[in-house]
Amino acid sequence: MIDRFDNLSVNILPLATKLTPLQGRRYTLSHSEATGEWLVSIGLKGSKQITSYDLQNVIQAEWTTKMGEYVLLGKINIDSEANDKKLAQIRYMIYQKELPFLIKMIINSDRPFFNYYPLLLDAPIHIEFQSTSSQLYQTLFIGTPRKYLIEESVNT
């Protein structure tokens, strides 16, 4: 597992700012196998993201409401292009292992936002593993943003 943010860049897409919006704020975490670089893009639902040809989207997450409470809902597609069930199972196991680091990158890339909306530090994070296999398709509760913040990130 990667434990540093040396190769992480953050891109705030137009119409989103460091502090707005809350509803519909979307994160896309992408990775380059060739360079090892990570990119978190922060934008709005429907924002057009221009990415390099070698970047692969790993996880998408969005602030939404469920039953009147804010929730960070993330989605990871674990199916391969070859529709190989064994490969999907391997990807599922890898993503489960790496998920805490992936969420930590997203949460820490948006620190000013959490300073502005400290109540979101205790909002639930749900991750949906998307797959054509019913055994792999599931939604997991993985904690709250507070769990993933690096100590000096937010003083609450």
Side-chain angles (χ1 to χ4, degrees):
M1 178 182 342
I2 303 165
D3 58 359
R4 298 185 326 248
F5 296 119
D6 294 345
N7 292 332
L8 177 65
S9 299
V10 179
N11 183 19
I12 298 179
L13 301 171
L15 299 183
T17 70
K18 287 184 179 185
L19 305 178
T20 61
L22 193 160
Q23 183 74 21
R25 188 176 191 84
R26 179 174 283 186
Y27 306 93
T28 302
L29 177 64
S30 305
H31 182 252
S32 169
E33 290 289 332
T35 65
E37 292 181 68
W38 293 89
L39 171 66
V40 174
S41 295
I42 302 171
L44 302 171
K45 188 173 189 168
S47 292
K48 299 291 182 199
Q49 178 182 343
I50 300 170
T51 58
S52 172
Y53 66 92
D54 69 334
L55 285 175
Q56 174 187 357
N57 289 346
V58 176
I59 183 171
Q60 291 186 330
E62 178 181 344
W63 283 107
T64 187
T65 53
K66 287 195 176 185
M67 296 175 53
E69 294 184 349
Y70 282 103
V71 174
L72 183 59
L73 177 61
K75 297 179 181 186
I76 299 174
N77 183 356
I78 58 172
D79 287 342
S80 67
E81 290 144 17
N83 205 17
D84 182 339
K85 289 185 181 188
K86 286 187 181 194
L87 182 56
Q89 178 69 37
I90 291 168
R91 289 170 53 115
Y92 175 78
M93 291 187 306
I94 291 169
Y95 278 126
Q96 275 199 319
K97 179 182 176 208
E98 298 295 331
L99 192 56
F101 178 70
L102 301 176
I103 297 302
K104 190 178 281 190
M105 280 195 287
I106 290 171
I107 298 301
N108 285 280
S109 70
D110 209 10
R111 287 183 235 170
F113 182 74
F114 288 104
N115 282 329
Y116 195 69
Y117 297 105
L119 290 174
L120 293 180
L121 291 171
D122 297 311
I125 301 172
H126 295 275
I127 301 297
E128 182 179 291
F129 287 94
Q130 297 178 322
S131 176
T132 55
S133 168
S134 60
Q135 291 135 340
L136 300 178
Y137 193 104
Q138 59 183 290
T139 301
L140 304 175
F141 167 72
I142 59 161
T144 66
R146 187 179 304 277
K147 175 181 175 181
Y148 297 97
L149 281 171
I150 295 174
E151 295 233 350
E152 65 271 8
S153 296
V154 176
N155 299 319
T156 58

